[in-house]
Amino acid sequence: MALVGSYVGLSRTLVAALPVFLLAWLRFGIAAVAMLGWLRRPADEAPLSSRERWLLFWESFLGNFLFSVCMLFGVAATSAVAAGVVMAGIPAAVAVMSRLFLGERISGRVAGGIVCAVAGIVWLALERSGGQVTAAASAGEPLWGYALLLGAVICEACYVVIGKRLTAGLSPKRISSLINLWGLVLVTPFGVWQAWSFNFAAVPAPIWPLLVFYALAASMVTVWLWMQGLRSVPAAQASVFSVMLPLAATAVGVVFLGEKLSHGQIGALALALTGLLLATWPQRETAQ
């Protein structure tokens, strides 16, 4: 999640140079080539069942394709601030879904960590907007934009819960490669459509190595790390690590872009980090 937050600025640079669906198509295509060796089934792994095949499809459709569509069009219809506030609900959504579909018990400490994480991210989003949380609404932003952002939250929660299911029988490398392959299949029609009339010669040369780095980081490294972690961490507890995204993005802005932190932003980041520590700090087992 820290790596995702660190390349947020990079993705903005790429979107400025390449259309969204073409960028996604190239990203999945580059990662698919890099992960060809990961597609092979290990000797100690059972063949894919029909249930696992469907889970892999939904993991990619909801977590890669539909999440991106809901997020991009939702932000376009509302604002980045609205997206930050709504997306802060991801840990809570994952906690509810993990309880319903995985039967995970949510301890008091994890619940408290989720509350702190959500509050910290919302506070950070409001601080960045100067506290103008109602300015967007007064500008007549459509309700369907917020509905799309809420849909993105649900898609991301499904991604975490389905990923937890998949790690029970598949290796993180194989999961990463297969859901990336599904992402490539789903976005190819849109990518080809945009590539047909796109002037590739107009793309600045430095964009191409950045694209390769983005593809490997976004579709390969971060997914593998996430799935590897989900093998041993409950889904609800893992969701609290989403606070690392705004924390890392803010750190990159301060260290490399010369941005300044207000006292409110420092407080928001501290609250979000407190939520992470509260939810994940080791606790002594109770003797039976």
Side-chain angles (χ1 to χ4, degrees):
M1 292 308 294
L3 183 57
V4 172
S6 66
Y7 64 61
V8 166
L10 174 60
S11 63
R12 291 174 182 168
T13 303
L14 292 171
V15 168
L18 297 164
V20 171
F21 287 119
L22 176 57
L23 173 60
W25 186 45
L26 293 173
R27 164 195 158 179
F28 288 129
I30 292 169
V33 173
M35 289 190 284
L36 278 175
W38 290 10
L39 288 171
R40 189 181 300 109
R41 178 172 64 89
D44 59 346
E45 191 173 289
L48 289 174
S49 64
S50 58
R51 177 173 173 273
E52 287 174 330
R53 293 177 190 273
W54 276 109
L55 286 177
L56 286 165
F57 166 77
W58 287 115
E59 178 80 339
S60 186
F61 178 73
L62 294 172
N64 285 335
F65 182 76
L66 197 58
F67 171 82
S68 298
V69 171
C70 289
M71 184 63 164
L72 291 172
F73 287 101
V75 171
T78 56
S79 66
V81 176
V85 172
V86 176
M87 298 301 287
I90 289 176
V94 173
V96 172
M97 293 186 71
S98 64
R99 178 62 178 168
L100 292 176
F101 298 106
L102 300 177
E104 292 184 357
R105 189 180 69 85
I106 311 299
S107 67
R109 275 179 50 175
V110 172
I114 290 172
V115 170
C116 289
V118 171
I121 298 173
V122 170
W123 186 5
L124 181 62
L126 297 181
E127 280 291 323
R128 286 178 172 173
S129 70
Q132 302 299 318
V133 68
T134 59
S138 63
E141 290 180 347
L143 290 177
W144 58 263
Y146 291 93
L148 286 175
L149 292 177
L150 181 60
V153 171
I154 296 173
C155 286
E156 186 66 12
C158 290
Y159 176 83
V160 176
V161 172
I162 295 173
K164 181 66 177 177
R165 288 275 193 189
L166 287 170
T167 56
L170 299 175
S171 68
K173 286 185 177 180
R174 197 148 182 248
I175 295 172
S176 303
S177 60
L178 288 172
I179 64 176
N180 179 80
L181 197 59
W182 263 120
L184 178 61
V185 171
L186 290 168
V187 82
T188 289
F190 305 97
V192 171
W193 168 61
Q194 289 191 332
W196 189 260
S197 58
F198 183 72
N199 181 16
F200 286 91
V203 179
I207 290 296
W208 299 113
L210 289 179
L211 173 62
V212 173
F213 170 77
Y214 171 67
L216 298 181
S219 289
M220 188 176 180
V221 179
T222 56
V223 179
W224 176 81
L225 287 171
W226 186 256
M227 294 302 168
Q228 187 73 29
L230 277 179
R231 300 186 83 175
S232 55
V233 178
Q237 204 169 8
S239 68
V240 184
F241 281 85
S242 62
V243 303
M244 291 306 300
L245 198 158
L247 285 172
T250 301
V252 169
V254 172
V255 175
F256 297 104
L257 303 179
E259 296 178 0
K260 302 296 182 181
L261 282 178
S262 67
H263 291 93
Q265 288 176 320
I266 294 174
L269 294 172
L271 182 59
L273 188 57
T274 299
L276 177 60
L277 294 174
L278 186 62
T280 59
W281 196 268
Q283 54 185 344
R284 182 176 301 173
E285 296 291 338
T286 304
Q288 297 297 321

